[in-house]
Amino acid sequence: MTRLSLAVLVFDDTIDPNDLRAGLSDTERDHEARIVHAGRRREYLGSRWLLRYHLAGEYSIKPKALAIEYPAGTAPRCAHAPGYLGLSHSGTVGLSVLASAPAGCDIEQIRARRFTPERLAGHSYHPDEVAELQRVSATTQVRDFHRLWSLKEAALKAQGLGLGAGMKQPSFQLRPALRCTRARSAEPWFFAAAELEHGKDRFAMAVATRQAAATIDLVALRPDGSNGAQRTALVVDWATAAYAP
């Protein structure tokens, strides 16, 4: 059974950005300094620190000794880590996954946007998912839209694909229990979805792996002020589903 190691970083006002910078490589710090947009710079800084310290804790390696690559359009990789890596961020929160089998993760802040979820779902989701969204209240529709999106994007990442590959498959049924109704590839899959709360903000997060079953460990990481990381185990209500062709 595959183990999925997940870590989150909440980059809020209680974290000093300099504590994150201190944990990055010289190349990463130079790149961060060249990012003009403040929001993108924040996402870059938080996500790079998160993955570096997640790997360091998992494999007992000093964070700065890790050689991490971020190839365009695909998942990060690290010569010191024998498994698969995944990374996502939304708003102030980053999410990373380490696994021995192909895996992907995604996190999405749940919030009302300028578009209506039903309209965008009509272009991107399977008709059965659109029909299910039409049967729920407006508030539930927003939450369900983001949960579906996170599940689909996690699965695409696990296959090394981007959003350009289309989101109609895999498709999911959320009620009465999470179920994968269609998969893009004829192989076993495991999916898990949950919501993360931080203050008034809520996030939909999901992980997918090309295995029949998996266990999930979730921790929160944050800098400890001395170039290390505090680790706190988190317990969330995961909804899980297996797909067998």
Side-chain angles (χ1 to χ4, degrees):
M1 181 180 294
T2 297
R3 173 177 170 264
L4 302 173
S5 174
L6 293 167
V8 296
L9 167 69
V10 180
F11 190 175
D12 57 20
D13 293 337
T14 66
I15 291 180
D16 184 346
N18 289 322
D19 287 339
L20 299 179
R21 291 188 184 98
L24 302 189
S25 67
D26 292 341
T27 300
E28 288 169 330
R29 284 197 298 271
D30 290 343
H31 184 86
E32 187 247 338
R34 293 194 299 270
I35 300 174
V36 176
H37 189 276
R40 294 186 183 278
R41 188 165 62 248
R42 185 183 185 93
E43 289 175 348
Y44 178 90
L45 178 58
S47 62
R48 266 43 177 188
W49 184 93
L50 172 63
L51 184 58
R52 187 168 288 277
Y53 278 76
H54 189 183
L55 283 163
E58 189 74 11
Y59 294 104
S60 300
I61 301 173
K62 292 183 178 180
K64 287 190 176 182
L66 294 165
I68 306 174
E69 299 178 2
Y70 294 88
T74 188
R77 56 182 180 233
C78 178
H80 299 93
Y84 295 82
L85 318 181
L87 191 60
S88 179
H89 50 72
S90 180
T92 59
V93 176
L95 176 69
S96 58
V97 61
L98 311 180
S100 58
C105 67
D106 189 59
I107 190 161
E108 303 288 338
Q109 186 172 357
I110 300 172
R111 55 188 174 187
R113 303 175 186 267
R114 293 180 180 178
F115 60 81
T116 60
E118 183 181 338
R119 179 174 297 178
L120 182 56
H123 292 290
S124 304
Y125 292 179
H126 190 276
D128 290 350
E129 295 170 319
V130 178
E132 185 174 1
L133 286 172
Q134 292 172 338
R135 290 193 289 267
V136 298
S137 68
T139 300
T140 302
Q141 190 179 87
V142 171
R143 293 177 64 186
D144 286 0
F145 174 88
H146 287 87
R147 175 164 284 199
L148 287 169
W149 187 284
S150 64
L151 281 162
K152 290 168 176 289
E153 189 161 349
L156 288 172
K157 290 177 179 178
Q159 296 174 88
L161 302 174
L163 297 180
M167 301 187 77
K168 293 186 185 299
Q169 291 189 25
S171 61
F172 298 91
Q173 178 180 304
L174 299 181
R175 292 178 183 79
L178 177 64
R179 185 167 71 91
C180 178
T181 54
R182 297 168 190 82
R184 185 182 295 272
S185 56
E187 56 193 339
W189 279 90
F190 174 87
F191 304 97
E195 287 189 10
L196 181 71
E197 295 185 37
H198 179 69
K200 295 181 179 180
D201 296 328
R202 298 176 69 89
F203 299 83
M205 60 180 176
V207 62
T209 184
R210 294 189 308 201
Q211 294 290 299
T215 60
I216 304 172
D217 294 324
L218 175 64
V219 298
L221 299 182
R222 62 180 290 121
D224 63 6
S226 59
N227 208 22
Q230 297 175 357
R231 299 172 61 89
T232 305
L234 297 181
V235 178
V236 297
D237 186 15
W238 290 104
T240 62
Y243 178 85

